[in-house]
Amino acid sequence: MSVADEWTAEGAAKPPVAETTDVLVLGAGPAGMAAATEARAHGMRVLVLDENGAPGGQVHRAVEARLAKGAVEKRDAKDDQDKDGAKLAAAFRASGANYRPNATLWAVEPEGKVFWSEGGAARSIQAERLILCAGATERPLPIPGWTLPGVMSVGAAQIALKTGGLVPEGAVWLAGQGPLLWLYAVQALAKGGKIAGIIDLSPPGGLQRARPHLLRALKAPEYLWRGLVWQRQVKRTVRVIPARELRAEGEGRLARILVDGVAHPADLLLLHDGVVPNTQVTRAIAGLTHGWDPVQRCWRPGLDLWGNTAVPGVMVAGDSAGIGGARAAALSGRIAALEAARALGRITTDERDGRAGPLRLLRDRQLAPRLFLDAMFPPLPEAAIPDETILCRCEEVTAGRVRQAVALGCLGANQTKAFTRAGMGPCQGRICGPSVHGVIAAARGVEGGEVDPFRTRFPTKPLTLGELAALAG
Amino acid sequence: MFRRTDPPDCTIVWEGRELPARAGESLAVALLAAGITTFRETPVTGAARGPLCLMGACFDCLVQVEEAQNMQACLVPVTPGLRAQMQHGARGFVEDAA
Amino acid sequence: MSSSGLFDVAVLGGGMVGSAIGFGCAERGARVVVLDEGDVALRAARGNFGLVWSQSKGDGMPAYAAWTRQSVALWPALAERASALAGRDVQYRAVGGLTFCLDEAEFAARQLFVQRMHNQGQEGLQMLDRAQLQALMPGCPLGPEVRGASYQPADGHVDPLTLLRGLQAGMRAAGGVHLPGAAVQAVEPIAGGYRVTREDGSQVEAQRIVVAAGVKTTPLARMIGLDVPVRPVRGQNIVTERLAPILPLPASAIRQTGDGTVQIGVTSEDDGSFATATTTAALATMAARALRVLPVLAQARMVRGWAALRPMTPDGFPAYAESTTHPGCFVATCHSGVTLAAVHAGPLAEAVLAGVLPEHARDLHPDRFVGMTHVSSH
């Protein structure tokens, strides 16, 4: 794609990247697309950086390509996710935002100076306002043997389905818990895929835990209804085995799984334990505070009603602020953009409040089922992870080594990292972060909120020394 | 493991072997569709690994693409004729040497 | 709450210096407690470059030069013990160390420095021209700008994090107690020793106190009647992904670790700030210089950057003292905690128990700072 193509509205006459921008949006998922579109509607210059090659984020991944093939229309009405995504993407494309796909942000410095890499070169810009919409990542589900080739995440399989039309076939097992697991099963079966079985690891008593939140959840009954329909649909053709212990085995490659000690042949195992906010970038920004969510056991940036963080000019919207789903994310993106427009003098406070009011009501409705779902699917307990299990896949550090470090006096993830190398590899703790943190908390017998998480630092994505050195004055 | 529902429209070369693929999909997806799960050996213990997340986060799908080492296969789009091979351990300098 | 009676020694600080002294005292049979802050303390130990280094140490301060050489000589024994205690090789390799010169002017300046060090008693340090350097490291793809290097065969490097783990594990194995998680608020004399109060309200009593608190030394030293001005000097580091062997000898701002990663250092930012964020400008400058040494690293990926704060005295040299107003209370501070770990765990620990500082340490008394403004960083 040429630079000119990326300038969707303002034409090729301008330089591809200016020195400054009014608003920089990180991520072109639902929150980022909506934020950029709204910000453009108020005349602000908007730069959007996204690591993927096309808009959509994870939930609407490759939605335009599927739309072009007519695949979206062919689906039945329940899958209105694609319709939402197509609408957001079309508005975003038409908004005139300077959209940079395949662009990886790796540093945010004071005064809104942002660095990213694109096409093998590092670049920078000064932004008045940042709206960070980094989305969610799957919570890791470390089990013995999960590093064997043939073990992947459910999210990965869904990406393979959405981008490559790959469906499961053969001895394919899904394991873990959470809505995405059931959604993927539905999507895979609908496209003719075959699943050998689902290992349901969800802690028992989910409905009892969730019941107090039922009334509120029924404000948006379609979520619960859909969940029930998915499970019923899947269970019609797929065996579901409730279990507590799972391990993967094989020589150089997955060959079988052990479900509570019972062996089943397996050539693909897909793991899932819900999703957590992606805070890799926000945690690296000095002064940006985060709070602990004790139910979903994850960190979220501390935000005001508009999405402002503790650092002036830096905002967060969408799932990276707390899991709320695609529709809530898009609404948050718009609300954040309205606040940015007010902050930059494009609209008055009254105008902002007037426009944001109805969006808030819609968002409240979308968020209504969250407490129910969160209580239904609490993350699997880290205390139960066997010592032999690798937590840090990059540096091959086991849960046992992390527990040893705690016994040596490590109180948090950072000293543990120093003592074990957990989190020191190229993924920078993205994958192991939640489980290392959880294992430390469990070993110390304290709440996760009392345990410092990995301190992330810029660059938050690996970049070549050549790219970095090219920035030297 | 996986089955394609859309027909391949080109080929790539993996470890010297021709594999069917679709232009534009990620190299990782093309390899998985061809039944390949082992993408690399780790630099720590030499253990075999394949992709975990397919979204650029896990760095477990590292391969060598043309001359470039340690490339995340999930972020490399397939182009017809693309040549790739396993990443064996740490980045080396023999091929890269300036 | 008071913790288990009177300790022989309470070390205030669980970084590289405090852990070495604590380990040394515990190993000699003393009942030791090491008090430490929490998970994100300003720990230079975690940002250390990992050199065991004599070639640039002690210009104008012979006691420091001699103290350093004494430590380097004791290092092989320490490395062996620390590896056993950490359960993992600390990767100490005394393979010789380099300081690269990238043009004629750098080479000439370094040559003068080597001469000066030689005149102050450093043996073995020498200049190598490009051809000699290539002969020393055959196959190493040095960049065309590399003019030569200074070379000290006795120098080497180590994994400082595994060292820290080994020291702390050793302290515990010898019966020592490690109490992390709270800063020290007060030190007061009691009968037969001192009582230390921490910000969480906990108290510890000990006959002897060692302040080894890095950049926090000044306020803690004051509690034991010593004036030790220490300011933070930021150093930023880069670490790459693991690479095949490429640089066999460590150098002053670039080394390949035993794990294969290449570590690139390190700035010296003396702005008085305690901030530990990295800055792209500094990282870019460091990367650019590293690429002049080894251009093939251009394709290598940086996976991690960080900044740590060195505790810096006014003249940049270490400071050791026993308090005259608080007998049995000591201070130890330096920014060469790795190189000096062997003397800290050995002669210094012994001296703390005996109550008399060793010769070279005595010559590094903080009294020398009186009336001195901050002058230089060594």
Side-chain angles (χ1 to χ4, degrees):
Chain A
M1 186 185 286
S2 76
V3 167
D5 288 337
E6 291 163 19
W7 278 85
T8 49
E10 300 187 23
K14 289 190 181 177
V17 181
E19 304 265 301
T20 63
T21 186
D22 297 323
V23 176
L24 185 144
V25 176
L26 169 64
M33 290 191 290
T37 306
E38 184 72 36
R40 283 294 303 144
H42 301 285
M44 297 186 284
R45 293 173 301 155
V46 179
L47 180 76
V48 181
L49 303 179
D50 187 52
E51 202 166 23
N52 296 307
Q58 299 307 333
V59 62
H60 304 310
R61 189 180 268 269
V63 67
E64 292 172 324
R66 288 199 307 278
L67 186 71
K69 286 195 321 203
V72 170
E73 274 80 6
K74 276 194 301 198
R75 291 175 164 215
D76 50 335
K78 84 176 178 328
D79 214 344
D80 38 31
Q81 234 173 33
D82 268 354
K83 285 188 192 151
D84 286 2
K87 231 164 97 180
L88 279 169
F92 170 59
R93 288 280 192 189
S95 71
N98 183 358
Y99 165 50
R100 324 282 309 181
N102 304 310
T104 301
L105 174 146
W106 49 262
V108 176
E109 295 195 346
E111 317 299 327
K113 180 110 178 184
V114 173
F115 293 86
W116 76 94
S117 286
E118 187 183 336
R123 331 178 72 149
S124 71
I125 198 167
Q126 197 90 29
E128 294 280 329
R129 276 279 175 297
L130 305 183
I131 306 179
L132 305 176
C133 311
T137 56
E138 281 182 281
R139 183 192 296 277
L141 174 40
I143 58 165
W146 74 311
T147 53
L148 287 169
V151 182
M152 294 171 46
S153 73
V154 167
Q158 196 190 37
I159 290 169
L161 177 72
K162 286 180 180 176
T163 63
L166 266 53
V167 295
E169 193 169 77
V172 179
W173 296 83
L174 273 58
Q177 61 166 350
L180 183 67
L181 184 149
W182 296 99
L183 172 60
Y184 171 71
V186 169
Q187 291 171 332
L189 295 174
K191 283 208 95 180
K194 302 234 164 53
I195 297 169
I198 293 179
I199 316 300
D200 182 358
L201 297 174
S202 61
L207 267 177
Q208 272 123 312
R209 279 191 307 273
R211 188 165 297 133
H213 308 293
L214 182 61
L215 210 59
R216 185 176 156 80
L218 288 173
K219 278 196 196 167
E222 69 272 20
Y223 279 95
L224 304 189
W225 180 241
R226 228 165 39 189
L228 287 173
V229 170
W230 289 345
Q231 293 207 16
R232 193 171 312 156
Q233 247 176 311
V234 172
K235 284 176 178 167
R236 224 176 281 145
T237 51
V238 179
R239 169 160 67 134
V240 177
I241 309 175
R244 304 186 70 92
E245 270 180 40
L246 176 66
R247 50 179 65 221
E249 292 184 346
E251 291 68 46
R253 175 191 201 302
L254 176 71
R256 64 200 158 270
I257 56 173
L258 286 178
V259 183
D260 286 335
V262 180
H264 301 271
D267 55 31
L268 183 63
L269 172 62
L270 303 173
L271 300 171
H272 184 70
D273 186 19
V275 295
V276 292
N278 176 1
T279 55
Q280 204 76 8
V281 169
T282 48
R283 276 185 291 138
I285 298 175
L288 208 159
T289 54
H290 290 75
W292 176 251
D293 175 340
V295 177
Q296 277 296 298
R297 300 214 300 273
C298 61
W299 296 93
R300 318 167 164 210
L303 303 178
D304 71 5
L305 279 174
W306 299 97
N308 291 301
T309 67
V311 176
V314 180
M315 310 183 72
V316 177
D319 272 2
S320 56
I323 304 304
R327 286 183 170 171
L331 292 161
S332 303
R334 291 183 64 187
I335 292 168
L338 287 168
E339 161 65 359
R342 182 212 56 85
L344 299 186
R346 299 303 205 280
I347 56 175
T348 66
T349 303
D350 284 349
E351 282 169 328
R352 178 200 67 178
D353 293 351
R355 287 170 197 266
L359 301 180
R360 277 188 199 291
L361 288 176
L362 287 170
R363 186 175 59 171
D364 286 348
R365 186 178 175 282
Q366 293 299 324
L367 292 176
R370 290 330 297 187
L371 290 175
F372 183 89
L373 291 173
D374 289 356
M376 183 101 175
F377 301 111
L380 297 178
E382 288 90 356
I385 300 173
D387 274 348
E388 75 204 78
T389 314
I390 286 177
L391 297 182
C392 168
R393 299 169 60 100
C394 295
E395 292 292 327
E396 306 188 37
V397 182
T398 61
R401 290 228 14 124
V402 169
R403 291 179 180 128
Q404 271 175 23
V406 173
L408 266 180
C410 293
L411 298 177
N414 297 291
Q415 192 72 359
T416 301
K417 175 179 177 178
F419 277 10
T420 64
R421 297 188 62 83
M424 278 194 187
C427 99
Q428 303 177 326
R430 277 181 171 75
I431 302 297
C432 68
S435 42
V436 168
H437 182 264
V439 165
I440 295 170
R444 288 184 53 204
V446 300
E447 248 304 309
E450 291 176 45
V451 176
D452 285 314
F454 282 138
R455 193 165 162 184
T456 59
R457 285 196 176 80
F458 299 118
T460 43
K461 262 286 169 91
L463 78 159
T464 66
L465 292 180
E467 282 174 75
L468 183 58
L471 295 171
Chain B
M1 199 176 71
F2 283 119
R3 174 173 61 81
R4 283 187 184 280
T5 55
D6 299 321
D9 58 14
C10 67
T11 58
I12 57 172
V13 180
W14 170 253
E15 295 277 314
R17 227 175 88 206
E18 259 191 24
L19 301 179
R22 282 175 66 86
E25 69 186 1
S26 76
L27 173 58
V29 164
L31 294 175
L32 289 169
I36 310 281
T37 48
T38 301
F39 285 40
R40 66 170 184 131
E41 290 157 359
T42 69
V44 181
T45 61
R49 286 284 173 88
L52 174 75
C53 78
L54 289 187
M55 56 182 278
C58 74
F59 289 78
D60 256 328
C61 65
L62 299 176
V63 296
Q64 188 168 335
V65 179
E66 308 292 349
E67 296 303 303
Q69 298 185 45
N70 273 358
M71 300 297 288
Q72 291 176 274
C74 71
L75 297 180
V76 174
V78 162
T79 51
L82 184 86
R83 303 180 72 85
Q85 61 186 75
M86 276 178 66
Q87 175 76 35
H88 297 283
R91 175 189 294 275
F93 291 98
V94 183
E95 296 92 331
D96 289 18
Chain C
M1 141 184 125
S2 180
S3 177
S4 53
L6 189 70
F7 287 94
D8 295 326
V9 182
V11 182
L12 314 192
M16 199 64 84
V17 176
S19 298
I21 296 170
F23 166 58
C25 289
E27 212 189 19
R28 284 166 178 75
R31 286 196 67 225
V32 174
V33 60
V34 173
L35 306 179
D36 202 2
E37 291 190 7
D39 187 56
V40 288
L42 296 171
R43 236 181 277 278
R46 240 158 38 194
N48 195 286
F49 199 70
L51 300 178
V52 177
W53 215 242
S54 64
Q55 66 175 271
S56 51
K57 303 285 178 68
D59 184 16
M61 182 59 88
Y64 178 39
W67 187 232
T68 299
R69 285 197 298 273
Q70 189 181 348
S71 198
V72 169
L74 292 171
W75 242 99
L78 175 68
E80 201 169 309
R81 272 180 306 156
S83 295
L85 291 162
R88 196 171 54 193
D89 184 10
V90 298
Q91 300 170 351
Y92 173 59
R93 305 286 181 267
V95 289
L98 302 168
T99 300
F100 286 111
C101 304
L102 296 183
D103 58 31
E104 208 53 53
E106 282 183 21
F107 192 83
R110 192 70 189 167
Q111 203 153 25
L112 280 174
F113 178 81
V114 165
Q115 189 61 43
R116 212 159 62 232
M117 293 306 283
H118 180 78
N119 294 342
Q120 294 172 77
Q122 177 157 165
E123 287 170 14
L125 182 60
Q126 56 197 281
M127 292 303 291
L128 302 181
D129 64 19
R130 186 180 169 86
Q132 290 169 311
L133 204 47
Q134 281 172 323
L136 184 67
M137 303 188 292
C140 178
L142 293 171
E145 292 181 75
V146 175
R147 165 69 178 82
S150 65
Y151 169 55
Q152 168 53 272
D155 285 347
H157 60 154
V158 67
D159 170 7
L161 299 176
T162 304
L163 170 63
L164 184 67
R165 181 184 169 133
L167 294 172
Q168 293 194 358
M171 193 268 300
R172 281 168 182 263
V177 176
H178 181 212
L179 297 178
V184 166
Q185 258 178 349
V187 178
E188 52 184 333
I190 54 168
Y194 298 89
R195 177 182 296 131
V196 182
T197 306
R198 304 205 293 163
E199 63 181 4
D200 62 357
S202 65
Q203 293 187 325
V204 168
E205 292 170 4
Q207 278 182 12
R208 292 162 197 275
I209 301 284
V210 181
V211 171
V215 291
K216 301 276 190 70
T217 294
T218 303
L220 291 184
R222 201 166 291 135
M223 293 177 197
I224 57 166
L226 285 167
D227 183 20
V228 187
V230 169
R231 67 189 194 281
V233 173
R234 189 180 314 107
Q236 299 191 38
N237 278 270
I238 290 174
V239 164
T240 69
E241 62 195 338
R242 291 173 188 249
L243 305 170
I246 184 170
L247 181 61
L249 267 64
S252 71
I254 181 168
R255 73 178 187 107
Q256 185 164 27
T257 70
D259 298 309
T261 63
V262 168
Q263 189 174 353
I264 296 164
V266 58
T267 55
S268 197
E269 301 162 58
D270 196 355
D271 54 15
S273 152
F274 282 83
T276 56
T278 53
T279 56
T280 301
L283 298 177
T285 305
M286 289 153 59
R289 183 164 172 99
L291 294 189
R292 291 171 68 196
V293 175
L294 289 171
V296 294
L297 290 180
Q299 288 310 308
R301 282 191 180 77
M302 165 180 187
V303 298
R304 205 162 72 248
W306 71 92
L309 301 173
R310 302 177 189 84
M312 194 64 70
T313 60
D315 62 7
F317 299 120
Y320 303 95
E322 179 175 4
S323 169
T324 49
T325 57
H326 293 61
C329 289
F330 299 81
V331 69
T333 184
C334 71
H335 60 85
S336 327
V338 169
T339 300
L340 296 180
V343 279
H344 290 163
L348 188 66
E350 214 166 290
V352 165
L353 298 179
V356 186
L357 287 180
E359 181 198 346
H360 301 310
R362 267 200 314 274
D363 294 339
L364 292 165
H365 197 284
D367 276 354
R368 69 183 191 273
F369 304 135
V370 174
M372 194 187 269
T373 50
H374 289 166
V375 286
S376 69
S377 317
H378 286 269

